[in-house]
Amino acid sequence: MEEIGKQIAERRKKKGLSQQDLAEMSGISPRTINSVEQGKANPSINVLNKMVKPLGFVVTLSERVRHE
């Protein structure tokens, strides 16, 4: 989660957006954005995708099947 948060912060800054700007664009609270960027939150994939959509990327899950 920490790596995703770093990537979000980096992309947001490259686009010249504040956390407040991203909050307004995504509908996610600035507090949540801050927590995710710092790796302190564990948001759902839906919340993450709302956050990253204005930044021009998506978060996906890949399923790994393990045979025992």
Side-chain angles (χ1 to χ4, degrees), residues 21-52:
D21 294 332
L22 183 55
E24 291 171 6
M25 296 170 79
S26 65
I28 304 299
S29 76
R31 175 182 250 173
T32 298
I33 290 170
N34 185 302
S35 293
V36 170
E37 287 186 356
Q38 292 184 11
K40 295 180 180 177
N42 193 12
S44 69
I45 192 75
N46 290 333
V47 169
L48 280 175
N49 276 320
K50 286 179 184 179
M51 284 177 60
V52 301

Side-chain angles (χ1 to χ4, degrees), residues 53-66:
K53 186 175 181 179
L55 302 176
F57 65 101
V58 295
V59 177
T60 60
L61 295 176
S62 65
E63 184 176 336
R64 294 183 181 164
V65 178
R66 219 175 88 199

Side-chain angles (χ1 to χ4, degrees), residues 9-17:
E10 183 178 301
R11 180 72 65 99
R12 176 182 59 75
K13 290 173 186 175
K14 280 185 180 178
K15 290 192 166 268
L17 299 172

